[in-house]
Amino acid sequence: MKKRSILTALGALIAAVIIFIVGWWAARATLTTTTEPTPTAEVLTAEAREGRVGRTFNFSVTIQTPFLPVAVNQLSGVVTKVGPAEAADGSVLVVVGDQGIIAVESALPFYRDLGPGVRGEDVRALQSTLIHTGYLAGEADGVFGSLTARALSAFQKDNGLAQTGDAPLGTLYAFPSLPATVTYGEDLRPSAVVAGGETLISAPSGERTFTITVSESQQEFVPAGATVTFTVGGEEFVATIAEERTMSEQGDVTVHLLRPDGASVCDTRCDLLPNRPKTTVLAQVQPEAPVTGVTVPVAAVRTTPDGQAFVTLADATTQEVTVRGSGQGLAVVDGINVGTIVQISPAGTSTPAAGAPEPSPDTGSEPSPEPTPSEG
């Protein structure tokens, strides 16, 4: 009996020890967590390069050409033909019945009937047109003789006009220079009836104007003195925004352009522009002059609490720099050389240097009325 009691007590002790060991292991497994190693942030770097920065905005430049009447109708009847918009020397512009209105290059207007025996500069201008178009040989002498009458009659026949061999008042219209773009009266069309006195044709007259129209809030993008560049027909034109600006009832602001020296934008090259009442071209407006020098990403430039700009080099040392300009995520700095490797601060940890702001977001892709920043 005594031996059995000892064995029972020993078994209970062993069981208690086993239970304690199992409970300790379970508690350790439950309460102990594994610590993962903290990843080291990747250091991004960039190489300093030579470059240029500066803000540029895209706007539409409107070129307006004043058109004035050059031909007041002096014929009556039904319009049977309306000519082309580009008038050349000898072009038949309008036909009323079987009488044509002919474009002639002449410094003086036509003021009388021209026929056999008439002399003068107006006759000389008509003869020059007939020579230019191949109907008259020799030189223009200003005398309306039989050769001029035959040449004019042949011209009239080939153009479907009455072969009269003379040019009554109203059938010739003088242009200071040809070719020239012309516009016709709104109601002038084949089958229209004219009685005389109507404005048939208008042509360019006077100096072109160049303007940009913006909203009131966009005026900061087009300050006076800003440079404007646009291209027409492969030719580049450079203008400056003038002080003059006008506001419409709708709140739009129209700024005027001049050449940097104050002359007309096209000056001696106006003949390269379209001879239309209104032409719109895309232009680049540069509010300030671009800055050229050593460029680094804006994210690489930070400032000390006292405002000193600096960059961190590849070896983790710092170098003070001076920021001279910024745009499109780049800053032009003095203090380092081309080829220097700089560290780029991780997002959210950099303090941009004063004078090196991040570029503004796009304010639109249309040239007008919203500007499109195009920095670089």
Side-chain angles (χ1 to χ4, degrees):
M1 291 294 294
K2 185 177 181 179
K3 183 177 181 180
R4 183 179 297 173
S5 298
I6 293 172
L7 292 174
T8 300
L10 182 60
L13 179 61
I14 293 172
V17 171
I18 293 173
I19 291 172
F20 172 78
I21 293 173
V22 170
W24 174 82
W25 177 84
R28 181 180 176 84
T30 302
L31 299 177
T32 302
T33 58
T34 302
T35 302
E36 294 291 335
T38 302
T40 302
E42 181 182 0
V43 177
L44 301 178
T45 61
E47 180 182 350
R49 298 181 179 181
E50 185 75 21
R52 185 178 74 166
V53 299
R55 297 188 306 162
T56 301
F57 298 94
N58 294 333
F59 281 98
S60 290
V61 168
T62 299
I63 306 171
Q64 290 184 298
T65 305
F67 274 67
L68 295 178
V70 295
V72 176
N73 179 42
Q74 299 186 57
L75 306 177
S76 61
V78 176
V79 175
T80 56
K81 180 181 178 181
V82 176
E86 188 75 13
D89 193 17
S91 292
V92 177
L93 302 174
V94 179
V95 179
V96 178
D98 58 2
Q99 287 188 298
I101 300 174
I102 303 167
V104 176
E105 186 170 304
S106 174
L108 299 175
F110 293 98
Y111 61 93
R112 57 180 176 171
D113 296 336
L114 298 186
V118 177
R119 297 169 178 262
E121 290 302 314
D122 46 0
V123 175
R124 193 187 306 275
L126 172 60
Q127 289 174 328
S128 295
T129 295
L130 292 172
I131 292 170
H132 180 257
T133 52
Y135 288 90
L136 183 63
E139 295 183 0
D141 58 9
V143 179
F144 201 121
S146 58
L147 293 178
T148 301
R150 283 199 295 270
L152 181 56
S153 179
F155 174 92
Q156 292 168 333
K157 178 181 178 181
D158 289 347
N159 286 277
L161 307 177
Q163 301 173 50
T164 60
D166 59 4
L169 180 62
T171 59
L172 302 177
Y173 282 104
F175 289 81
S177 63
L178 289 169
T181 298
V182 297
T183 60
Y184 297 92
E186 293 182 359
D187 298 328
L188 189 67
R189 62 188 182 279
S191 77
V193 177
V194 293
E198 302 91 348
T199 296
L200 294 184
I201 304 165
S202 297
S205 177
E207 189 174 284
R208 291 174 171 83
T209 60
F210 299 77
T211 58
I212 294 176
T213 301
V214 298
S215 65
E216 189 172 4
S217 63
Q218 293 171 345
Q219 291 195 72
E220 63 178 292
F221 302 117
V222 288
T227 299
V228 182
T229 306
F230 60 90
T231 301
V232 178
E235 288 284 327
E236 184 180 82
F237 295 83
V238 179
T240 299
I241 293 180
E243 294 283 353
E244 181 185 1
R245 53 188 64 202
T246 55
M247 181 177 290
S248 69
E249 294 181 357
Q250 293 74 30
D252 293 332
V253 179
T254 299
V255 298
H256 297 260
L257 309 183
L258 292 174
R259 231 175 49 164
D261 61 4
S264 171
V265 173
C266 56
D267 196 27
T268 59
R269 299 186 294 161
C270 293
D271 59 329
L272 301 177
L273 300 177
N275 273 325
R276 294 193 292 267
K278 180 182 290 187
T279 302
T280 301
V281 297
L282 185 65
Q284 290 71 50
V285 178
Q286 201 165 65
E288 62 272 330
V291 180
T292 302
V294 179
T295 62
V296 296
V298 169
V301 182
R302 292 184 288 175
T303 56
T304 61
D306 61 359
Q308 174 61 54
F310 69 92
V311 294
T312 302
L313 305 181
D315 60 4
T317 61
T318 61
Q319 174 64 50
E320 293 183 355
V321 295
T322 300
V323 178
R324 296 197 294 113
S326 65
Q328 201 176 5
L330 296 176
V332 176
V333 298
D334 291 336
I336 59 175
N337 298 321
V338 172
T340 300
I341 303 300
V342 298
Q343 295 187 18
I344 301 176
S345 302
T349 66
S350 65
T351 304
E358 286 292 345
S360 301
D362 275 4
T363 55
S365 57
E366 293 295 325
S368 180
E370 293 292 338
T372 303
S374 170
E375 306 182 52

